[in-house]
Every structure is written in C-alpha cells, then in structure tokens.
Amino acid sequence: MGKNLSEILWEENRDIAASCLNHPFVQGIASGKLTREKFNWYVGQDYFYLHAFAKAFCLAAAKAPDTRGMVSFHKLAEGALDEMKLHKGFESSLGADVESVVASKPTRMYTDFLLSTAWGCDVGLIAAATTPCNRLYAWIGQNLKEYTKNEENPYIDWIRTYSSDSFESLARETERLIDLYATNVSEARKAYRYAMICEYDFFDAAWKYEASKGGGERQL
C-alpha cells in the first residue's frame, strides 16, 4: 500500500523540520534559557501570524466542496484561535505584548503567502500551505516533551501545548485534508516546502531579534 501525499510531503521536508528542532531558538525554549526578550518578540509575531492562519482556514471552509471539509476547516480555525489564547496568556505570565506588533519581514512573507493561497487557490492547496505549521509544531512539541519535567522552565506551557494529544489531532486533521483534496501534487509540494522554509525563517528571525538601546527594535 502506497504512502499518502501528506506522508510524502512530510518526509520530503524532514530536513527543514530537523533544522527547526535543532535551532538555538527552539533549543532555548527547551532548556528555558532563551531570553524573555526574544521569546516575547516571537510570541507577538506568532500572534500576528495566527490571525492569518485562522483566516486561511475560514476561507477554506467557505470553499470546501462538502460538509466534511467545512467541519474540518472550522475545527482548525478554532484551533488557531485557541493558540491565540495561549499567546495572550504570556502577557500576564511573561510580560509579552501581543497586540502592539509590527510584523517583521519573515512574518509578512509567511502571512502574505497564506492569505494569497487561501484567496486564490483551492482547498487542496490551502491544506498543503497550512499543514506544515501544525505538523511541525506537533513534532517539535513531542520531541521536547521530556523538558516539561522542569517545572521552573518559563516556557513550559508552550511545550505542553504543542506536545499535547489535542494539538497532534490538529496536525492529523490538516494532513487528512491534503489527502482528501490535493489534486495538483506539484503545486502542493511547492506550497508545503515554501511554508516549511517560512517556519525556519520565523524561528531564525526571533533568535536574531535585538531590542535597540533607544527602546525601539531591530526587525528582520
């Protein structure tokens, strides 16, 4: 029995996934040694991104050719909105400010890609463009799960969220939608790969972020 397209796409992009997992930003979350400044900047950027992520699922729900697709894309939109609640929680626990965000270039490139795909393409390609985020974060979370033993890690809620069974179910749901609806394999490959590259660039920009001495910020 052959592999599903979603499995093939993930395997083709495991190189980027490994680079994300081993990135010093992600490893800093695992150890708890990442500076709060970098994490809070990342949280704000991700909150901005999640607006576009949720909208992409809503647009896909409107385009879905059947009830199953409508239900699934609505469920995924709700999942993105739940993630936004996690990020809002970091305002009180870590002093993040997720509302006053100036999107960085990597963030804009990612959100522009998601929304242009959601507006201009069919649900199969929307699924291919959105799956990398859910699958990558679920995979990273599961690989970092052992670090939840350190109750003093300030980023423990981040790890717990993305290592959870509920988040894994969101990843599997987007993968099922690829397998159900993606008919243009070549374009699906391009969309999936581009999204994975954006994921790496997202972590990399957060790692390189530095606040300026004048109270502003150097954005990439």
Side-chain angles (χ1 to χ4, degrees), residues 79-142:
L81 294 172
D82 284 341
E83 280 189 77
M84 292 172 73
K85 293 177 185 177
L86 169 73
H87 289 40
K88 283 289 289 183
F90 289 126
E91 288 188 317
S92 58
S93 64
L94 296 177
D97 181 1
V98 301
E99 298 290 352
S100 303
V101 174
V102 177
S104 68
K105 183 177 178 180
T107 301
R108 280 288 186 188
M109 289 179 68
Y110 201 174
T111 57
D112 288 352
F113 160 70
L114 279 183
L115 292 175
S116 64
T117 301
W119 279 109
C121 300
D122 62 28
V123 294
L125 287 183
I126 299 172
T130 51
T131 293
C133 181
N134 281 347
R135 172 44 63 206
L136 178 67
Y137 271 68
W139 183 76
I140 287 175
Q142 290 157 22

Side-chain angles (χ1 to χ4, degrees), residues 10 13-14 16-18 20-21 23 25-26 29 34 38-39 41-50 53 57 79-80 83-84 86-87 90 106-107 110 114 129-145 148 155-172 174-175 192 195-207:
W10 173 244
N13 289 277
R14 285 291 290 267
I16 301 179
C20 290
L21 176 63
H23 195 283
F25 180 84
V26 174
I29 289 176
L34 181 72
K38 291 183 186 294
F39 183 81
W41 184 81
Y42 153 82
V43 166
Q45 295 295 312
D46 204 34
Y47 191 79
F48 182 94
Y49 162 83
L50 285 168
F53 196 51
F57 287 132
E83 280 189 77
M84 292 172 73
L86 169 73
H87 289 40
F90 289 126
T107 301
Y110 201 174
L114 279 183
T130 51
T131 293
C133 181
N134 281 347
R135 172 44 63 206
L136 178 67
Y137 271 68
W139 183 76
I140 287 175
Q142 290 157 22
N143 275 275
L144 301 185
K145 193 169 186 177
T148 58
Y155 312 122
I156 193 170
D157 287 341
W158 190 96
I159 301 172
R160 283 173 172 164
T161 295
Y162 296 116
S163 64
S164 66
D165 291 341
S166 59
F167 200 82
E168 170 64 19
S169 72
L170 293 176
R172 291 184 180 180
T174 49
E175 288 173 331
Y192 197 105
M196 286 291 287
I197 292 170
C198 287
E199 289 291 341
Y200 178 86
D201 289 346
F202 205 86
F203 289 134
D204 198 50
W207 176 248

Side-chain angles (χ1 to χ4, degrees), residues 165-200:
D165 291 341
S166 59
F167 200 82
E168 170 64 19
S169 72
L170 293 176
R172 291 184 180 180
E173 192 67 31
T174 49
E175 288 173 331
R176 278 193 289 269
L177 292 167
I178 287 179
D179 298 329
L180 277 172
Y181 299 121
T183 55
N184 189 328
V185 175
S186 176
E187 290 302 312
R189 276 194 164 101
K190 291 177 184 177
Y192 197 105
R193 184 75 176 179
Y194 185 82
M196 286 291 287
I197 292 170
C198 287
E199 289 291 341
Y200 178 86

